[in-house]
Amino acid sequence: MAQAVCGIVGVFFLGMGVYALAAPTALIRPFGIRLGEASARYEVRAVYGGFGLAMAAVLAVAALDLGSLRGGIMVAVGAALAGMAFGRVASAALDERAAFYPTWFYGVVEVAGAAALFLAA
């Protein structure tokens, strides 16, 4: 089960990473953010692209169960996803309401991924 969870969550991170590297403006558009400056596109490619690919890579290592890293990787990536979801909850307390999509849709994905990783670790 741990191998499947790592694979599924890893595919989501891989998709996010590749999409962010290829089309940073399109990735962020549903959130109402405009990327006018090159430095803004650098940031999206780094944070969404590079981070996504790194998470996919470590989850691939966990899925292959190389060494004794699986549990630690699953907890670390689960914590990252939980932190992202927490940021959304904090924003809900500090900002005006946001539509379900994309904000809460991705929050649900983050919580589900974190829970699956924690439970399977």
Side-chain angles (χ1 to χ4, degrees), residues 6 54-70 73:
C6 289
M55 293 297 100
V58 297
L59 285 166
V61 169
L64 296 172
D65 201 17
L66 301 174
S68 59
L69 301 174
R70 179 182 279 171
I73 289 170

Side-chain angles (χ1 to χ4, degrees), residues 1 5 16-17 29 41 50 53 59 70 79 90 106 108 113:
M1 177 165 146
V5 169
M16 178 184 76
R29 187 176 300 127
R41 291 185 297 279
L53 293 180
L59 285 166
R70 179 182 279 171
Y106 288 109
V108 169

